[in-house]
């Protein structure tokens, strides 16, 4: 098996396992006829602190889960493929940081869902490519902007006029955490190749050739 094929497959493993986990949790919640919304973030309340760690695992309904699953697969693969050396650190930091920010800025209600991760990954991938100025990574930035650029409006209160009960604070928290991670990790992972230095000996040889032609 070719190295690139292996890398492609390995980059798919984590996103697929994570999304499967989300579906298993939802199936369990549904089969038990339970409501696990209290595992979400409840801002500025002690009871809502657990949600920093558990809220991305809980979804309101099947459509909510489905709408997050596809972006998680795509963006998660991009993270694991292009930023394999730092992918798990970035994912974990986005998870925790977005939950903490949401706990600080959210409204008085339960906030659930993996949308914060989706926005965090989107913003990390976009700004990381811009900061690194490396052509393949810039291409990923443009791809993310093309696929998910229109969702930026869901980071503001106006989004509730379109979709009821949307946690725009969760989206904004994810965007902030992804942007912060792109700054923190900008010197880690793939970088723009350094320009090749000219060999002084080659220059001397060229000069000698010129001198030989002159005599």
């Amino acid at each position: 098996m070719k190295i690139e094929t292996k890398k492609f497959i390995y980059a798919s493993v984590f996103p697929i396992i994570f999304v499967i986990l989300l579906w298993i949790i939802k199936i369990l919640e549904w089969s038990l006829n339970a409501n696990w919304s209290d595992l979400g973030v409840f801002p500025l309340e002690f009871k809502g602190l657990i949600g920093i760690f558990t809220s991305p695992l809980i979804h309101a309904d099947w459509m909510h889960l489905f709408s997050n699953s596809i972006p998680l697969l795509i963006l998660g693969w991009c993270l694991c493929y292009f930023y394999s050396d730092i992918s798990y650190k970035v994912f974990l930091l986005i998870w925790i940081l977005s939950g903490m920010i949401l706990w600080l800025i959210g409204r008085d209600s339960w906030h659930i869902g993996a949308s914060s991760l989706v926005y965090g990954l989107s913003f990390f991938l976009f700004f990381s490519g811009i900061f690194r100025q490396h052509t393949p990574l810039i291409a990923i930035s443009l791809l993310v902007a093309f696929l998910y650029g229109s969702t930026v409006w869901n980071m503001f209160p106006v989004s509730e006029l379109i979709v009821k009960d949307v946690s725009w604070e969760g989206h904004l928290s994810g965007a902030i955490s992804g942007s912060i991670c792109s700054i923190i990790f900008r010197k880690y992972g793939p970088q723009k190749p350094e320009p090749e230095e000219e060999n002084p000996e080659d220059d001397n040889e060229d000069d000698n050739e010129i001198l030989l032609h002159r005599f």
Side-chain angles (χ1 to χ4, degrees), residues 49-183:
L49 284 172
I50 187 65
I52 293 174
F53 306 98
T54 57
S55 61
L57 302 174
I58 311 300
H59 290 81
D61 51 43
W62 298 104
M63 184 54 66
H64 185 203
L65 175 56
F66 179 78
S67 65
N68 282 333
S69 295
I70 302 303
L72 283 172
L73 288 172
I74 296 173
L75 297 172
W77 180 87
C78 288
L79 177 69
C80 293
Y81 186 88
F82 293 99
Y83 297 89
S84 56
D85 295 341
I86 57 173
S87 57
Y88 296 115
K89 294 179 182 178
V90 170
F91 189 84
L92 181 61
L93 187 55
I94 288 175
W95 186 316
I96 303 301
L97 190 57
S98 60
M100 292 173 62
I101 296 173
L102 177 57
W103 188 82
L104 292 172
I105 70 172
R107 289 164 292 172
D108 292 340
S109 62
W110 293 105
H111 298 258
I112 57 175
S115 297
S116 58
L117 299 179
V118 172
Y119 277 77
L121 292 173
S122 297
F123 275 71
F124 173 80
L125 292 169
F126 177 78
F127 284 113
S128 290
I130 301 301
F131 291 154
R132 295 162 198 266
Q133 290 296 299
H134 185 27
T135 302
L137 302 181
I138 292 176
I140 295 302
S141 298
L142 296 176
L143 176 63
V144 169
F146 174 76
L147 292 176
Y148 301 108
S150 61
T151 63
V152 69
W153 298 109
N154 292 332
M155 294 162 39
F156 305 103
V158 68
S159 62
E160 280 205 309
L161 299 176
I162 304 172
V163 181
K164 189 179 180 181
D165 298 328
V166 65
S167 177
W168 62 266
E169 301 99 321
H171 300 163
L172 180 60
S173 299
I176 293 172
S177 63
S179 302
I180 291 174
C181 284
S182 68
I183 296 172

Side-chain angles (χ1 to χ4, degrees), residues 7 46 92 112 144 194 211:
K7 187 177 179 181
F46 180 77
L92 181 61
I112 57 175
V144 169
E194 294 291 336
L211 291 173

Side-chain angles (χ1 to χ4, degrees), residues 19-37 39 57-62 65:
V19 170
I20 289 175
L21 174 63
L22 295 182
W23 281 86
I24 290 174
I25 291 173
K26 188 60 185 175
I27 291 171
L28 284 174
E29 183 186 22
W30 172 77
S31 63
L32 295 172
N33 196 26
N35 185 351
W36 292 345
S37 296
L39 292 176
L57 302 174
I58 311 300
H59 290 81
D61 51 43
W62 298 104
L65 175 56

